[in-house]
Structure formats: structure tokens, C-alpha cells
Amino acid sequence: MLGVEREPGKPAFALMAERGTGRYVGSAFITLNREMRERLWERVQEHSGPAPNGMKRPATQWVKPGLIGRVKHLRGEENLRHASLQDFREED
């Protein structure tokens, strides 16, 4: 997970990267229940970091490497399409 974008009046979504390379692969709507969403916001605050090189999105709160998201998306696509964040964890 590269960061979380939240704007008033719009759905929140996570900016996702390929594990290992850190290459941006798309965004996923955050569809977590209230408890998990609150836990995610706490982790994002704790792991806040600088924007990756070349990424400029003013409403995004960037995170340091270490948050891993499980995403549901359409198969057969190189980048995420119609994706939703199902779960997340901190890398061991």
C-alpha cells in the first residue's frame, strides 16, 4: 500500500503497489467495516511517509513500506480494475 486518498464527500481508496517492486498498479476502494477502517486510519497515521518519486496526489496520505493490502479485482488485468480493499496487515 502506497497511501490512502480521502476527500470529503468522496469514497476513500487505497493506492496500491506491486509487492517487491513497489510499482504502482492502481487504486482500490476501501470497503472495510467500521472497526477495520478505524484501525487502518491509525496505521496510516503511524506509518506516514513521503510520496514515492513521481507521485503527486494532493489528497493522499502516503505511507512508508510495510502495510500490505488484500485486494479483490477483475482477473486478467495487469493493473487493478474495479478493485476493493478487503483486508490489510503489517509486514513481518
Side-chain angles (χ1 to χ4, degrees):
M1 188 179 306
L2 293 172
V4 173
E5 193 161 303
R6 299 192 314 177
E7 291 186 74
K10 295 184 180 180
F13 57 91
L15 301 177
M16 305 302 294
E18 192 173 63
R19 195 164 178 193
T21 66
R23 181 181 73 86
Y24 174 73
V25 293
S27 60
F29 287 102
I30 298 174
T31 58
L32 305 171
N33 65 37
R34 183 181 203 137
E35 180 182 320
M36 288 183 69
R37 203 170 43 245
E38 292 301 321
R39 202 176 61 155
L40 175 62
W41 303 152
E42 288 176 19
R43 296 302 183 277
V44 167
Q45 293 296 323
E46 292 169 4
H47 292 80
S48 186
N53 289 338
M55 297 286 291
K56 294 181 183 183
R57 295 178 82 128
T60 301
Q61 185 166 8
W62 302 101
V63 295
K64 296 175 191 168
L67 283 180
I68 308 297
R70 185 171 57 89
V71 176
K72 181 178 177 181
H73 61 94
L74 293 178
R75 290 185 197 179
E77 299 288 333
E78 184 175 322
N79 291 329
L80 297 179
R81 289 194 53 216
H82 302 285
S84 59
L85 182 66
Q86 303 291 303
D87 196 8
F88 73 95
R89 66 181 170 81
E90 293 182 52
E91 193 168 45
D92 300 329

